[in-house]
Structure formats: C-alpha cells, structure tokens
Amino acid sequence: MQSNYVGRFAPSPSGPLHFGSLICALASYLHAKQHQGKWLVRIEDIDTPRIDTKYSQMILDSLRAHGMQWDDEVLYQSQRHAIYEDVLADLHYKKQLYACECSRRQIRERTPPAAQYYDQHCREKGLGFENKAIRWKNNAHRQMFDDLHYGRVTVEDKFAFEDPVLKRADGIYAYHLAVIADDIAQGVNFIVRGSDLLDLSPLHLSLFEAFRYPVPQFFHIPVAASEAGQKLSKQHHAPAIKNELALSNLKSALHFLACEHRDIDQIDDAETLLSWAISHFSFDNISAKREILVSRINDVYCLSRENKK
Ligand code: GLU
Ligand code: ZN
C-alpha cells in the first residue's frame, strides 16, 4: 500500500554520479521505500552554463545500474521556465518581489564584514524588472529549524536575513526558486539531502510558507569528504562511480550510512541488496557528524581511518 510520502533525489548534471551523490540517492530512496512512499528524480539543469545534458543521461543510467528505479517521470528543470514565470508572477502579485540593480562589487563595498547579506538597498526603489536581478522580500528571517537527523539547527545571520535572488539579471532562474517551485509541483513532503544544504533550509522553509505550502520535513545526512572540509563534488572533479561495480558501490554507501550487518556479505546482486536494505536499514544509526572522510581504493570508496581520530 502506498502512503502519502513523496521524496525525491535532485541531482544537478554538472558531472556524472559520484560516490557522494550515490549516498544521497540511496538514503532518499531507502527512506521513501521504508515509508511506502514515492521516490521521484528531478534533474536540476537550470544553471545552463554549468550543466551538460550528457550528464543527465549518465546519472539516470547509473541510478538504473544500481537498481534504484524512480516513480513517475523524471522532471527536467530546463523545461519548466513557464512554471517558474508563473510562480514569480504569483509572488509579484503578493508584492513580495523587487528588482535589484546592484553589482556584486557595490554590495560588497556597502556591506559591513559582519553582515554578509544583501542590505535591501533596492527594496523600495520600484525598479522595472527588465534585465535586472529579481529578489524576494524575505521578512521571515527564520534562523532555526528542526531537522529530523541533526535536531534543532541554527544558522548564521547571512542565511536568515538575505533577500535571495530568484531570477538573475541574465535571465537564469535561481536554485532557490526552482527547487521550491518543483517540490511544490511534485507534492514533495519529505526531503533527504546532504548536510551541505542545512544552512539553506530555513530560507527554503520560509519560501514554502510564502506559497502557503505545508512545509516538508527535512532529514539531512553527512556528506562524504576526501579531506576535512572538502566534500566530494563535481566542482572538485569527484570521479564517476563505475556502474559495473554497482554492488560494491552500494555496500560502501550502506557502510557510510552506518549499516554493517553480516547478511550483507552474502548478498551478491544489487536488487537483493536494495530489498534487504529497505526492510533492515536503520536511519537511527547514521553518524551525527556533518561530514565523513572517505578514501578511494581500487575504484571503490571506504571510510577513511582518519574518522576514528
Ligand atoms: N541539486 C542540488 C545538488 O545537487 C540538490 C538540491 C536539493 O536536494 O534540494 O546539490
Ligand atoms: Zn540592489
């Protein structure tokens, strides 16, 4: 029986699926399946200069090779400009938007080092929207939220007081706008994602509220890092996971998520491992750290010894 749980995995195709994103995919998949929910996949290909369509296909191929089949159709943000315009029109109608003509440099020069957030310089200017950045009037200033894994999280002022840009002057829709618009459109009510996004979650919750959408629950998980503070990421050229090593990759990802069990050693295909994990995996055991160090040996990752220090 299906519950009303709707979760998702939302990779940006700026590179192939790497071990860090596999962990996110697996955790969100297992959580959704344990709750008899839907698991959706959304390709966040909105930041057009940085993304490459070939990676979208590679990511989907890797998910399939690792036995993670998504529900419904894959959503591509690059095909949803009309929806983002509607969402902006809605906020504009509610008088929650304004155009900003400040350059990065002007903002930097005006901002005291302690603040680090936009000073609302253009809020009352009533500028036309044409070719300008569009900002959201953030009056919520939410500084805290309750994460299901990390508990109460408090963020710095720069995350709570920013009037975020929702559409850039060059016409590109911002991540904040697309992610909220799509989570709402897809009926997402449960978000499992990496701890690198913890700081943005209060702002995201405020945006959900601005749309009067019941706020989803968040479960953040530790990120995999090659060294302290260096999360495995496409920017740092984390290598693609090898699809032919799917079983070992999944076992490593489960290990990362603190799942060690003698049953696992005997399992020799990805599908069986996933069904085992859906019924046995426990989210309570995941480390409370923000990041976990990993090292790569023979194309497969393992937890680094440094973690024990
Ligand atoms: N697309 C984002 C990323 O790859 C994830 C967005 C999210 O999970 O909210 O980091
Ligand atoms: Zn401005």
Side-chain angles (χ1 to χ4, degrees):
M1 197 188 70
Q2 200 158 56
S3 66
N4 63 1
Y5 180 116
V6 183
R8 46 66 161 186
F9 172 56
S12 318
S14 49
L17 198 73
H18 56 79
F19 184 63
S21 37
L22 175 72
I23 290 166
C24 261
L26 179 65
S28 61
Y29 174 85
L30 291 179
H31 205 266
K33 295 298 156 190
Q34 284 194 344
H35 291 82
Q36 289 82 41
K38 272 193 183 187
W39 185 64
L40 307 179
V41 171
R42 178 168 78 225
I43 300 289
E44 305 217 312
D45 52 356
I46 199 81
D47 190 357
T48 23
R50 272 186 42 234
I51 60 105
D52 190 327
T53 46
K54 76 166 185 271
Y55 294 130
S56 308
Q57 202 46 54
M58 284 169 74
I59 291 171
L60 297 176
D61 288 344
S62 288
L63 291 175
R64 258 191 232 103
H66 287 74
M68 285 182 271
Q69 185 53 55
W70 52 89
D71 298 299
D72 300 353
E73 300 229 324
V74 174
L75 207 76
Y76 291 85
Q77 290 191 329
S78 54
Q79 293 165 11
R80 296 175 56 75
H81 291 192
I83 282 117
Y84 304 143
E85 276 310 316
D86 284 352
V87 166
L88 282 176
D90 177 36
L91 285 180
H92 188 38
Y93 177 77
K94 293 178 183 151
K95 305 208 180 336
Q96 293 187 26
L97 298 181
Y98 63 96
C100 167
E101 60 183 354
C102 307
S103 67
R104 267 171 210 245
R105 178 149 172 224
Q106 287 168 326
I107 297 174
R108 202 174 339 109
E109 285 171 359
R110 284 199 312 261
T111 311
Q116 296 182 337
Y117 53 89
Y118 178 66
D119 61 359
Q120 308 184 348
H121 188 77
C122 298
R123 250 203 196 205
E124 309 306 331
K125 281 192 191 165
L127 299 168
F129 281 15
E130 200 75 355
N131 301 326
K132 297 208 183 57
I134 299 179
R135 290 185 184 268
W136 180 57
K137 289 184 191 169
N138 170 15
N139 291 326
H141 300 167
R142 189 197 260 265
Q143 205 136 19
M144 280 188 303
F145 81 104
D146 290 316
D147 185 71
L148 285 168
H149 182 52
Y150 291 104
R152 177 143 303 181
V153 176
T154 306
V155 300
E156 289 174 45
D157 288 359
K158 65 177 175 188
F159 298 109
F161 289 86
E162 178 73 3
D163 277 356
V165 170
L166 297 187
K167 187 178 182 182
R168 294 179 355 196
D170 61 7
I172 291 185
Y173 299 96
Y175 158 65
H176 298 305
L177 174 75
V179 77
I180 304 303
D182 289 341
D183 280 337
I184 292 176
Q186 295 188 287
V188 170
N189 51 23
F190 218 107
I191 296 175
V192 178
R193 62 184 183 182
S195 68
D196 53 320
L197 295 167
L198 269 172
D199 287 334
L200 299 180
S201 298
L203 175 67
H204 289 174
L205 288 169
S206 302
L207 281 165
F208 281 115
E209 282 165 351
F211 290 110
R212 308 204 183 292
Y213 183 78
V215 297
Q217 294 199 282
F218 284 103
F219 190 109
H220 287 82
I221 58 169
V223 294
S226 52
E227 49 192 280
Q230 186 83 263
K231 148 180 132 101
L232 293 188
S233 70
K234 290 150 192 163
Q235 284 81 348
H236 291 115
H237 307 291
I241 46 166
K242 297 221 156 122
N243 292 345
E244 60 277 21
L245 300 177
L247 182 68
S248 312
N249 294 333
L250 286 170
K251 286 187 180 181
S252 303
L254 282 174
H255 189 207
F256 181 96
L257 296 167
C259 178
E260 282 166 293
H261 197 286
R262 57 193 150 76
D263 288 0
I264 290 183
D265 300 338
Q266 272 116 61
I267 298 178
D268 54 16
D269 70 285
E271 277 71 24
T272 313
L273 183 60
L274 285 178
S275 3
W276 179 90
I278 291 168
S279 40
H280 294 86
F281 179 76
S282 168
F283 277 81
D284 299 339
N285 298 337
I286 298 178
S287 162
K289 289 186 184 165
R290 297 276 174 104
E291 68 177 17
I292 297 178
L293 300 176
V294 294
S295 15
R296 190 161 176 258
I297 300 170
N298 297 335
D299 292 329
V300 176
Y301 281 89
C302 59
L303 302 195
S304 155
R305 281 210 211 108
E306 301 287 310
N307 289 303
K308 304 233 164 66
K309 282 188 192 153

